[in-house]
């Protein structure tokens, strides 16, 4: 679970100013989204509850949102709207101070 939180925080920092995202930052964003896909796959494969009831109840939709965010970041030109929505959903409950 801590891995996902760390990945979301890093993603938030990388996308804080979307206008200044260069190719290196874009690659980092995509790499983090791929890592988040792997992390949520591992959570699903474990088949046991995590310490986060909202993720447990919404793991499928979360995985879909991560995939859609990655696909948006990979487009030419890239679209980071769903990346921001993804991190925003976490920050909404967790205040962003993590």
């Amino acid at each position: 679970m801590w891995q996902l939180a760390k990945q979301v925080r890093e993603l938030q920092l990388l996308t804080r100013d979307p206008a200044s995202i260069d190719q290196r930052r874009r690659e980092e964003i995509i790499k983090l989204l791929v890592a988040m896909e792997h992390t949520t796959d591992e959570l699903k494969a474990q088949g046991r509850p995590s310490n986060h009831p909202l993720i447990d109840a919404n793991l499928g939709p979360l995985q879909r949102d991560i995939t859609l965010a990655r696909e948006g970041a990979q487009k030419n030109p890239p679209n980071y709207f769903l990346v921001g929505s993804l991190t925003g959903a976490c920050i909404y409950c967790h205040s962003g101070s993590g």
Side-chain angles (χ1 to χ4, degrees), residues 11 29-30 33-34 36-37 62-75 78-87:
L11 201 56
I29 290 166
I30 293 168
L33 290 165
V34 168
M36 290 172 70
E37 288 175 315
L62 174 61
Q63 289 179 303
R64 181 201 63 223
D65 291 349
I66 293 168
T67 298
L68 290 172
R70 177 186 48 77
E71 290 171 351
Q74 289 174 322
K75 287 186 180 206
N79 183 332
Y80 300 108
F81 176 78
L82 293 175
V83 176
S85 296
L86 182 66
T87 60

Side-chain angles (χ1 to χ4, degrees), residues 1 4-5 7-9 11-12 36 52 54-55 62 66 83-98:
M1 203 56 218
L4 194 57
Q7 292 159 344
V8 167
R9 179 68 176 149
L11 201 56
Q12 179 197 23
M36 290 172 70
H52 198 296
L54 283 176
I55 288 180
L62 174 61
I66 293 168
V83 176
S85 296
L86 182 66
T87 60
C90 297
I91 301 308
Y92 178 75
C93 292
H94 294 285
S95 79
S97 61

Side-chain angles (χ1 to χ4, degrees), residues 13-28:
L13 293 172
L14 283 169
T15 58
R16 185 164 280 160
D17 181 13
S20 67
I21 296 176
D22 59 12
Q23 184 60 31
R24 183 195 61 77
R25 284 176 63 195
R26 179 184 182 194
E27 290 168 5
E28 285 296 313

Side-chain angles (χ1 to χ4, degrees), residues 34-54:
V34 168
M36 290 172 70
E37 288 175 315
H38 292 300
T39 301
T40 55
D41 283 344
E42 289 175 14
L43 285 173
K44 192 172 194 172
Q46 290 174 0
R48 63 178 195 256
S50 72
N51 61 348
H52 198 296
L54 283 176

